[in-house]
Amino acid sequence: MGKVAIVTGGTRGIGRAIAEALRDDGFTVVANYGGNDEAARAFSDETGIPAYKWDVGDHQACLDGCAKVESEVGPIDAVINNAGITRDGTLMKMSYEDWHEVMRINLGGCFNMAKATFAGMKERGWGRYVNIGSINGQAGQYGQVNYASAKSGIHGFTKALAQEGARFGITVNAIAPGYIDTDMVAAVPAPVLEKIVAKIPVGRLGRAEEIARGVSFLCSEQAGFVTGSTMSINGGQHMY
Ligand code: CAA
């Protein structure tokens, strides 16, 4: 059995592409998902990858969910913190719930998953975390004070945990995707999205597989000297 990797929000969009790429690399992959049972069933039927349902923003649910995965599949060696939501709106229109829910899931999820898995990786002397940030965490985005803060937080979280993990063989890196052709980006109003795409030098939205390729590298044995870094994959939209 290969090393075990878990991808949060792993049954759709970018997460699904990551799950499939890591499986192709020889990992034993498990996907976590938060809500869409139908998509998760279809994903597992089509890929053979098991899907476990829990809310990554719920601390206890993460501890319990990861313990279940470890007893049913094996010790978790790689965590891809990909689960995330948007609740876009200008500050004037954004509710406290919209703020808190995005922080709880997008940033809190990284903490919760690390708390559930770091000790085991440390004991075994090997581990990989890849946290999916965002161009909007680097550059900000109109209508996203919640999402930009959470994603920016992910970049700080990555650099801090990288320092703690380095001497135990645990690398911690982030990927900052630009606008990728997923359901999340499709929800951006068409005229707004058109303006955004017009500013992408490569001239198109990215593909989920293009993010997965980066994750694949960061999880590889050959990437052992890469830690605390952020890989931007954004078609040149923001050069950071
Ligand atoms: N900069 C400056 N002004 C802007 C602006 C911008 N980028 N975007 C809009 N405005 C202005 C508009 O011109 C408008 O001004 P006027 O009233 O003077 O004409 C005003 O702000 C209100 O704009 P909207 O009509 O768009 O306001 P709204 O309340 O209907 O919608 C919004 C606001 C929900 C934030 C909407 O603009 C929106 O959805 N924007 C897209 C946000 C976005 O990019 N989200 C990314 C989601 S995908 C993702 O997050 C994945 C990832 O990691 C990349």
Side-chain angles (χ1 to χ4, degrees), residues 156-181:
F157 177 88
T158 297
K159 291 175 198 174
L161 192 62
Q163 294 180 29
E164 296 185 21
R167 67 200 163 102
F168 306 117
I170 302 170
T171 68
V172 188
N173 292 287
I175 290 189
Y179 282 73
I180 309 301
D181 191 6

Side-chain angles (χ1 to χ4, degrees), residues 85-86 88-90 93 133-137 141-144 147 151 177-180 182 184-189 192-193 195-196 199 237:
I85 60 165
T86 52
D88 292 355
T90 55
K93 292 182 191 162
S134 168
I135 186 174
N136 295 347
Q141 170 63 38
Y142 189 98
Q144 282 200 313
Y147 187 88
K151 292 296 189 179
Y179 282 73
I180 309 301
T182 59
M184 184 183 272
V185 166
V188 174
V192 177
L193 190 57
K195 283 189 202 151
I196 290 170
K199 288 188 190 144
Q237 190 185 346

Side-chain angles (χ1 to χ4, degrees), residues 87-177:
R87 293 280 186 275
D88 292 355
T90 55
L91 178 78
M92 293 293 284
K93 292 182 191 162
M94 189 178 288
S95 67
Y96 177 73
E97 283 66 36
D98 291 338
W99 163 263
H100 186 254
E101 207 48 7
V102 169
M103 295 301 283
R104 187 182 74 82
I105 293 174
N106 297 17
L107 183 55
C110 294
F111 174 80
N112 296 336
M113 287 300 293
K115 285 292 283 184
T117 54
F118 190 88
M121 291 184 199
K122 179 180 164 194
E123 207 175 289
R124 294 187 298 279
W126 197 95
R128 294 283 184 268
Y129 288 94
V130 182
N131 303 319
I132 305 301
S134 168
I135 186 174
N136 295 347
Q138 297 170 314
Q141 170 63 38
Y142 189 98
Q144 282 200 313
V145 293
N146 51 1
Y147 187 88
S149 302
K151 292 296 189 179
S152 188
I154 285 178
H155 296 302
F157 177 88
T158 297
K159 291 175 198 174
L161 192 62
Q163 294 180 29
E164 296 185 21
R167 67 200 163 102
F168 306 117
I170 302 170
T171 68
V172 188
N173 292 287
I175 290 189

Side-chain angles (χ1 to χ4, degrees), residues 60 174 202 220 237:
Q60 193 59 46
V202 168
S220 69
Q237 190 185 346

